[in-house]
Amino acid sequence: MPQEETSDRTWLRDLFDAEHAPIWRALLAWTGSPTVAEDAVAEAFCQAARRTDLRDPAAWVWKVAFNLAGREMARRRIDVALPEDADPAADDATTLSAATLDLLAALDRLTPQQRGAVVLVDGFGLPSARAAELLDTTPTTVRVQALRARRRLRTALTPIEEAP
């Protein structure tokens, strides 16, 4: 485990294998930017590699990755990096399906708190208490924001039927 100062870094490889993809997907859904997601995850794992005092390395990496992505979003002065006139070839968008792009556009219409709550609770199945730790809020706030986000997403993603 990381508490022991040793040259054996298999714990880090195991942690990366288990957590990299879920954290990246959560950050992509939250930020809308594959680049911000990848940079935040990479930096969080780099910082974890330098630590020897982590009691819960997975929780620590999730929290650091979300904090880094949040700071990058603020630095760029963006809510979500998915502008209406986005070039589909830019920022690795070509690897995303049309349905994923629709979902990201719908997530773009949510507040950052709503987006974070619905991504972590519904997208990744985290309990509201765990999501609250990652988002630096309370479990009650997470539940309320996730409920509001679901309502807004349902409206945004439900196709409007043509009138007869």
Side-chain angles (χ1 to χ4, degrees), residues 123-145:
F124 289 89
L126 295 181
S128 56
R130 179 75 181 99
E133 290 174 23
L134 293 171
L135 298 172
D136 288 326
T137 189
T138 66
T140 302
T141 299
V142 168
R143 287 190 295 273
V144 169
Q145 295 301 326

Side-chain angles (χ1 to χ4, degrees), residues 39-124:
D39 289 350
V41 172
E43 180 59 26
F45 277 102
C46 286
Q47 289 183 22
R50 293 189 296 263
R51 303 288 300 256
T52 59
D53 60 342
L54 301 177
R55 284 181 285 160
D56 186 350
W60 189 89
V61 168
W62 274 83
K63 184 164 187 131
V64 168
F66 265 80
N67 287 340
L68 290 167
R71 282 198 301 268
E72 178 61 17
M73 289 170 54
R75 188 189 72 76
R76 292 182 179 193
R77 296 188 180 277
I78 58 173
D79 246 353
V80 168
L82 193 68
E84 295 281 333
D85 59 344
D87 177 5
D91 208 14
D92 297 328
T94 55
T95 62
L96 304 176
S97 69
T100 301
L101 290 173
D102 288 345
L103 177 59
L104 288 173
L107 287 167
D108 180 35
R109 295 183 192 108
L110 302 177
T111 67
Q113 244 187 358
Q114 290 172 344
R115 192 170 38 254
V118 77
V119 164
L120 293 173
V121 172
D122 294 340
F124 289 89

Side-chain angles (χ1 to χ4, degrees), residues 5-61:
E5 183 93 35
T6 125
S7 62
D8 180 20
R9 302 299 268 179
T10 57
W11 69 269
L12 186 59
R13 171 47 73 186
D14 293 343
L15 178 66
F16 183 86
D17 290 345
E19 301 296 334
H20 176 269
I23 297 170
W24 184 85
R25 287 190 305 265
L27 289 174
L28 173 64
W30 186 48
T31 65
S33 171
T35 304
V36 170
E38 187 59 40
D39 289 350
V41 172
E43 180 59 26
F45 277 102
C46 286
Q47 289 183 22
R50 293 189 296 263
R51 303 288 300 256
T52 59
D53 60 342
L54 301 177
R55 284 181 285 160
D56 186 350
W60 189 89
V61 168

